Amino acid sequence: MSKVIVVTSGKGGVGKTTTSASFAAGLAGRGHRTVVIDFDIGLRNLDLVMGCERRVVYDFVNVINEEATLKQALIRDKTDSNLHILPASQTRDKDAFTREKVGKVIRELRDNFDYIVCDSPAGIEKGALMALFYADEALVVTNPEISSVRDSDRILGMLAAKSLRAIKDYEPIKEHLVVTRYCPTRAETGEMLSLDDIQELLGIELIGVIPESEAVLNASNAGIPVIRDEQSSSGQAYQDMVSRFLGEDVPMRFLEVEKKGFLKRIFGA
Amino acid sequence: MSIFDYFRRKPKPVKATAAIAKERLHIVMAHEHRVANGPDYLPALKRELMDVIAKYVHVQKEDIKVNLERHGDCEILELNIALPEDKETAAVS
């Protein structure tokens, strides 16, 4: 059975595309046939984060308008043949999206892939609603920031009311919380909302915590999903998240404040 | 700054603002849930009620409060209108 997973947040800039790229690369890395779709029509960016921007010929809107076949539009990842990318269009042709047409593409993808990851645009407009409409599960990406938590709460409301599963009264979308840019030091001193706070406010189960790390920017600069940077804490945290998604019991890491030794305290880190 | 000041310097105090953030989020999210879970016709109902009342009595928009509360299975529509004290000016001729 194939699964459709939407990566969403409401607020922009919290790490949806970074999470989509790493999550999809992680699933593919474990042998699952995976496709990741950019739903941000007009503001395509997933191609850059995945490092395939120069290989885009056809896009999602071309497929929807039947100007190209899925096979023509899908871009195979440079290093992993299990991973494919369906880029968004750069023209502002949002009206191309209808539930029927998107549904047809999703159905076709379901026949060929195990996991279909939908990278949602920010906001609660048409594009975001379309990205979540066919979802079976959702990764709700949240920063430990007041505006991000509130917007995630709004998106949870949309998942519960505006998805196909909600409309048809099927089993509801399974929601998972991903906290990004987490900084244990600042949470401990009470400057930043803690994981417990965020979980309590949003009331959904935590699937991953991605610590604030330079590796994320470095990886997107290079066009490589950060999950492939095995040395970095964020890469490892994304690997853990994929394991948990696949049902493994993996403890949360990178939540402790690093204890500074005596010498480090004197000479600095 | 003398070298003694350097040693006397206290660490910058951190402001524990997370608790404030959490409290504010609790309140605003609870409010938004109430609005989101309310029936779709509530805003229109509110507007029309206000129009009817304004036909007969001079009241400001702020003086009319419409609230929908839920107690278990029971929903209560609460309408609260603060009427002006001076009856002469209150009546719409």
Side-chain angles (χ1 to χ4, degrees):
Chain A
M1 249 307 266
S2 62
K3 248 184 207 166
V4 178
I5 306 115
V6 61
V7 180
T8 184
S9 71
K11 192 174 175 339
V14 296
K16 279 184 299 297
T17 302
T18 303
T19 299
S20 300
S22 278
F23 180 59
L27 289 169
R30 302 190 192 197
H32 303 287
R33 290 168 302 159
T34 307
V35 59
V36 53
I37 312 176
D38 191 346
F39 270 82
D40 206 345
I41 304 302
L43 288 172
R44 137 168 114 211
N45 273 322
L46 182 69
D47 55 336
L48 277 176
V49 176
M50 301 282 298
C52 64
E53 70 278 7
R54 291 173 59 176
R55 293 193 289 141
V56 177
V57 182
Y58 295 109
D59 57 54
F60 195 9
V61 171
N62 291 138
V63 176
I64 280 184
N65 292 340
E66 294 179 3
E67 295 151 2
T69 63
L70 250 181
K71 214 173 178 183
Q72 286 175 308
L74 286 174
I75 304 168
R76 189 205 276 195
D77 184 65
K78 280 176 290 194
T79 57
D80 191 338
S81 60
N82 280 326
L83 181 58
H84 284 77
I85 299 119
L86 183 56
S89 144
Q90 263 310 42
T91 53
R92 283 182 64 250
D93 198 4
K94 277 197 187 119
D95 295 330
F97 272 174
T98 64
R99 279 180 186 170
E100 290 71 31
K101 286 178 178 174
V102 173
K104 195 171 160 242
V105 176
I106 299 275
R107 262 199 309 283
E108 204 178 330
L109 289 170
R110 274 187 190 271
D111 292 337
N112 297 294
F113 291 94
D114 302 320
Y115 293 106
I116 299 147
V117 179
C118 303
D119 181 18
S120 171
I124 49 172
E125 300 296 314
K126 196 173 179 185
L129 293 179
M130 203 55 85
L132 66 80
F133 189 72
Y134 290 99
D136 301 311
E137 303 201 24
L139 298 184
V140 178
V141 183
T142 309
N143 283 172
E145 201 188 299
I146 195 159
S147 50
S148 175
V149 175
R150 182 203 211 167
D151 291 358
S152 290
D153 185 59
R154 288 293 305 277
I155 276 292
L156 286 171
M158 299 284 163
L159 289 169
K162 309 252 167 169
S163 62
L164 180 69
R165 280 173 175 268
I167 291 168
K168 296 261 183 188
D169 238 346
Y170 296 154
E171 200 184 316
I173 293 177
K174 206 168 162 191
E175 303 146 340
H176 310 275
L177 175 65
V178 183
V179 177
T180 55
R181 308 198 70 164
Y182 192 63
C183 192
T185 334
R186 304 193 73 195
E188 193 174 73
T189 53
E191 281 177 279
M192 184 184 261
L193 286 167
S194 72
L195 280 179
D196 291 339
D197 292 341
I198 301 169
Q199 265 175 284
E200 188 193 319
L201 285 160
L202 294 177
I204 60 172
E205 162 247 2
L206 183 70
I207 195 170
V209 183
I210 315 303
E212 174 86 71
S213 155
E214 296 145 23
V216 174
L217 184 61
N218 287 333
S220 69
N221 284 345
I224 301 163
V226 70
I227 196 168
R228 291 194 181 139
D229 181 353
E230 285 159 15
Q231 306 299 314
S232 70
S233 55
S234 25
Q236 291 171 22
Y238 273 122
Q239 286 288 1
D240 289 358
M241 184 187 91
V242 172
S243 300
R244 283 183 210 108
F245 183 83
L246 295 172
E248 289 169 46
D249 192 12
V250 183
M252 295 285 168
R253 288 194 279 172
F254 315 110
L255 307 182
E256 299 300 310
V257 178
E258 207 183 308
K259 292 276 184 298
K260 276 190 181 171
F262 177 68
L263 287 177
K264 237 187 188 174
R265 236 184 258 206
I266 293 193
F267 297 111
Chain B
M1 188 172 76
S2 83
I3 192 159
F4 297 107
D5 284 341
Y6 180 81
F7 285 112
R8 233 182 282 144
R9 198 172 55 170
K10 283 184 192 133
K12 207 171 76 191
V14 281
K15 274 194 190 150
T17 49
I20 305 170
K22 192 181 171 189
E23 176 69 29
R24 290 174 59 212
L25 276 170
H26 256 306
I27 294 165
V28 74
M29 279 162 57
H31 173 74
E32 282 168 356
H33 287 183
R34 272 202 301 278
V35 174
N37 294 333
D40 292 342
Y41 59 75
L42 197 61
L45 172 73
K46 245 181 191 178
R47 224 174 13 249
E48 280 182 44
L49 276 173
M50 284 175 184
D51 290 345
V52 171
I53 292 159
K55 245 179 171 173
Y56 299 96
V57 199
H58 269 302
V59 282
Q60 301 295 318
K61 278 224 159 111
E62 306 86 74
D63 296 332
I64 308 174
K65 290 202 172 65
V66 184
N67 260 320
L68 186 75
E69 281 190 35
R70 191 165 298 166
H71 298 283
D73 291 341
C74 178
E75 279 183 352
I76 299 170
L77 181 70
E78 190 185 86
L79 186 64
N80 199 336
I81 310 158
L83 291 174
E85 279 176 17
D86 186 353
K87 281 186 184 155
E88 290 294 309
T89 57
V92 177
S93 50

